[in-house]
Amino acid sequence: MNPQANPWLQALGAAGARFNPDNTEILDFGQPGQELQQAATGSILVPLLQLASIEASGADAKSFLHSQFTNDVNHLQPGQAQLSSWCSAKGRMQASFINYPLEQSYRLLMAAELVPPILKRLQMFVLRSQVKLADLSGQLGHLGLAGTAAAPALAAAGLPVPDAPMSTAVQDQVCVIRLADGRFIVAAPQEILPPLWQQLSAHLPAAGLPAWHWLDVQAALPWVTGATREEFVPQMADFEKMGGVSFHKGCYPGQEVVARTQYLGKVKRHLYRLKSPVPLAAGEHLHSPASPDQAAGQVLVCAPDPAGAYVALAVVLAPGAEDLHQGDASGPLLEAVAVNP
């Protein structure tokens, strides 16, 4: 993305945002340490450039999505949102996302880098179904709000405040999603984001993506990205424990593998929170002397910690979790705690 050609990015630049080299993330607004502290103890407003949406519309949209995803789309009602994923035939997650209905369509909110490949592959399965799939990346933008001041800030901007976890509320062209940990994601047309940003930032301090990622780690919310695509069956990321998998719906790609994994109980890898003295990269493999012939873990997301050093989410092989290392088995020792022991 070119900040000079995009009024939304221009507005963020004018507000003091510092971009990563390819302008796909906001690093910070000039005070990274303070922004992390605000995430931990106060309230923040974050541009979520790393997220984008696919829209599915048409008479067969519901039945089509229900036949493809791990969650039950047939029972997803207006005003609700659900975690879901799309798996390969081998049961590996190609994407994780938030699915929510809006008017006569559905929106799939996921890592922006996954939108082009997922859209292209998902289109292959449409066949004769009356479904239209569209990339909303150039039209829709997203903001993240967190902390006790988030709901009052939404109200002050004239936006509705969903009152239940994983619910949505709509005002004109703006949809507000309430996450399970009390955070909010605002989805709005890019052309109205600059004035909306001004309204919300009058009540909330701006922060960069690391602060939001820190909150993702605390909430144990596992977003699949390009670095981790097709690496895990949903149970490895504890996705079924977060309500992202229905075991009562019909078939979908990878369903046999996911169901067999669930009922045989043979998953040895699960979601862990890590503390690390060094930064970790999404997709990076971790190692343990307990499993010298294979990687003992793989990182989903990492963020600097307000208390110092770094925290991360990773899928980890349980037998090696107590002696987990970055790089190789002689690298820095990581502290690993199971999210759902």
Side-chain angles (χ1 to χ4, degrees):
M1 288 187 288
N2 180 3
Q4 302 305 316
N6 187 310
W8 169 223
L9 298 188
Q10 285 182 342
L12 292 175
R18 298 199 305 164
F19 295 82
N20 67 344
D22 57 3
N23 301 311
T24 57
E25 297 177 1
I26 302 294
L27 301 176
D28 57 62
F29 283 82
Q31 299 178 309
Q34 184 175 328
E35 292 167 22
L36 286 170
Q37 290 294 335
Q38 281 292 129
T41 62
S43 301
I44 56 171
L45 173 64
V46 184
L48 302 180
L49 304 186
Q50 86 283 4
L51 297 180
S53 294
I54 293 173
E55 182 181 63
S57 59
D60 297 332
K62 177 189 288 188
S63 59
F64 173 74
L65 299 181
H66 186 80
S67 71
Q68 294 295 322
F69 299 157
T70 58
N71 217 334
D72 186 341
V73 181
N74 281 345
H75 290 88
L76 180 61
Q77 299 298 316
Q80 296 178 337
Q82 66 177 195
L83 289 174
S84 193
S85 63
W86 191 40
C87 293
S88 68
K90 296 182 179 180
R92 301 279 168 152
M93 299 168 73
Q94 301 187 81
S96 64
F97 47 87
I98 295 173
N99 179 18
Y100 62 98
L102 188 66
E103 296 179 346
Q104 304 302 313
S105 66
Y106 293 84
R107 287 181 179 174
L108 315 175
L109 179 62
M110 65 183 69
E113 63 187 323
L114 291 182
V115 167
I118 294 299
L119 180 62
K120 181 178 180 180
R121 183 163 178 79
L122 196 59
Q123 187 69 53
M124 295 170 57
F125 293 84
V126 171
L127 302 177
R128 296 184 179 182
S129 298
Q130 295 183 45
V131 179
K132 181 180 179 181
L133 302 174
D135 180 353
L136 301 183
S137 300
Q139 307 170 38
L140 203 65
H142 301 87
L143 299 172
L145 296 81
T148 56
L154 288 169
L159 296 177
V161 180
D163 57 2
M166 298 306 292
S167 65
T168 65
V170 180
Q171 177 71 39
D172 296 327
Q173 302 179 75
V174 181
C175 182
V176 182
I177 308 165
R178 186 174 193 138
L179 303 182
D181 63 342
R183 289 182 292 166
F184 300 90
I185 293 178
V186 175
Q190 286 194 15
E191 62 267 20
I192 70 172
L193 281 176
L196 184 57
W197 173 266
Q198 288 188 336
Q199 290 178 292
L200 293 171
S201 61
H203 304 275
L204 296 168
L209 184 57
W212 191 259
H213 276 169
W214 183 84
L215 291 168
D216 278 340
V217 174
Q218 306 314 303
L221 183 57
W223 292 90
V224 172
T225 62
T228 53
R229 183 183 176 192
E230 295 192 39
E231 293 290 339
F232 317 118
V233 296
Q235 291 95 328
M236 291 182 184
D238 288 2
F239 212 61
E240 85 288 4
K241 297 174 183 176
M242 302 173 195
V245 182
S246 169
F247 295 101
H248 305 290
K249 57 171 288 184
C251 294
Y252 55 87
Q255 185 263 344
E256 290 185 4
V257 176
V258 175
R260 186 166 61 247
T261 299
Q262 184 72 12
Y263 296 123
L264 294 180
K266 292 186 176 181
V267 179
K268 295 183 179 179
R269 295 176 184 266
H270 289 286
L271 192 64
Y272 280 70
R273 286 192 188 91
L274 308 181
K275 290 185 178 180
S276 172
V278 296
L280 304 170
E284 182 175 357
H285 287 101
L286 308 174
H287 301 273
S288 171
S291 54
D293 298 327
Q294 61 178 325
Q298 190 170 13
V299 178
L300 284 158
V301 63
C302 181
D305 188 26
Y310 299 87
V311 293
L313 289 177
V315 171
V316 175
L317 184 64
E322 70 282 354
D323 192 12
L324 195 64
H325 298 260
Q326 188 261 355
D328 55 38
S330 62
L333 180 65
L334 312 175
E335 179 183 333
V337 178
V339 170
N340 296 288

